[in-house]
């Protein structure tokens, strides 16, 4: 067995993985690591990487309790994505059909961040660290 560093690899549930793969490639410069297709050619599960951050996607299926934002009418997780230029990433998301939930701006705790919703209903906080947080906040 190979040694691994502890890492978090979230799983996003979606109704159309092929469209999501293309969206994440074009907006987040994600790289597809692998995919498993269904007999009809649709994508069942896939893994992508943005920089060093891995995330997985799975199609919504009726026999489990893992649902896409479309099905539940919202999301319970915000994906934090630390990037060199959150303004550019947020602009790419909106240009590709996403929505700004909170504009990118500087915060007193030392981050420049904003939240966007992708066309599949997942929320992404695009951010970068700009300064050390004030004393007492760490």
């Amino acid at each position: 067995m190979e040694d691994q560093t502890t890492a978090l690899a979230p799983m996003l549930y979606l109704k159309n993985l092929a469209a999501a793969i293309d969206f994440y490639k074009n907006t987040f410069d994600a790289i597809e690591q692998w995919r498993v297709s269904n007999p009809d050619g649709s994508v069942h599960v896939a893994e992508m990487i943005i920089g060093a951050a891995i995330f997985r996607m799975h199609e919504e299926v009726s026999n489990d309790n893992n649902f896409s934002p479309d099905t539940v009418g919202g999301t319970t997780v915000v994906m934090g994505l630390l990037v060199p230029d959150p303004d550019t990433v947020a602009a790419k998301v909106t240009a590709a059909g996403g929505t700004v939930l909170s504009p990118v701006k500087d915060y007193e705790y030392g981050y420049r961040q904003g939240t966007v919703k992708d066309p599949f209903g997942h929320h992404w906080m695009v951010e970068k660290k700009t300064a050390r947080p004030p004393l007492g906040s760490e």
Side-chain angles (χ1 to χ4, degrees):
M1 176 183 238
E2 71 181 60
D3 289 333
Q4 293 187 357
T5 301
T6 300
L8 185 65
M11 177 83 74
L12 302 179
Y13 280 81
L14 300 135
K15 291 189 176 191
N16 183 344
L17 269 68
I21 288 169
D22 289 341
F23 179 85
Y24 298 137
K25 283 180 178 179
N26 293 328
T27 58
F28 297 139
D29 297 324
I31 298 168
E32 183 179 343
Q33 298 294 295
W34 53 262
R35 73 168 68 186
V36 175
S37 296
N38 294 311
D40 68 1
S42 62
V43 183
H44 180 67
V45 65
E47 182 177 274
M48 301 193 80
I49 189 166
I50 304 169
I54 294 172
F55 69 102
R56 298 181 180 122
M57 299 178 293
H58 198 290
E59 74 176 331
E60 183 180 277
V61 291
S62 60
N63 64 347
D64 63 19
N65 287 319
N66 300 308
F67 302 108
S68 71
D70 288 340
T71 298
V72 299
T75 186
T76 61
V77 175
V78 175
M79 300 287 288
L81 182 61
L82 284 97
V83 296
D85 186 353
D87 296 272
T88 297
V89 173
K92 286 174 74 174
V93 170
T94 56
T99 306
V100 172
L101 299 177
S102 62
V104 175
K105 67 179 188 176
D106 292 322
Y107 286 89
E108 66 278 0
Y109 46 82
Y111 280 84
R112 180 162 183 77
Q113 60 191 188
T115 304
V116 292
K117 181 171 76 171
D118 68 31
F120 317 101
H122 291 286
H123 296 191
W124 296 80
M125 183 180 296
V126 291
E127 57 189 315
K128 76 172 184 175
K129 192 170 189 174
T130 57
R132 183 180 170 93
L135 289 177
S137 64
E138 294 182 36

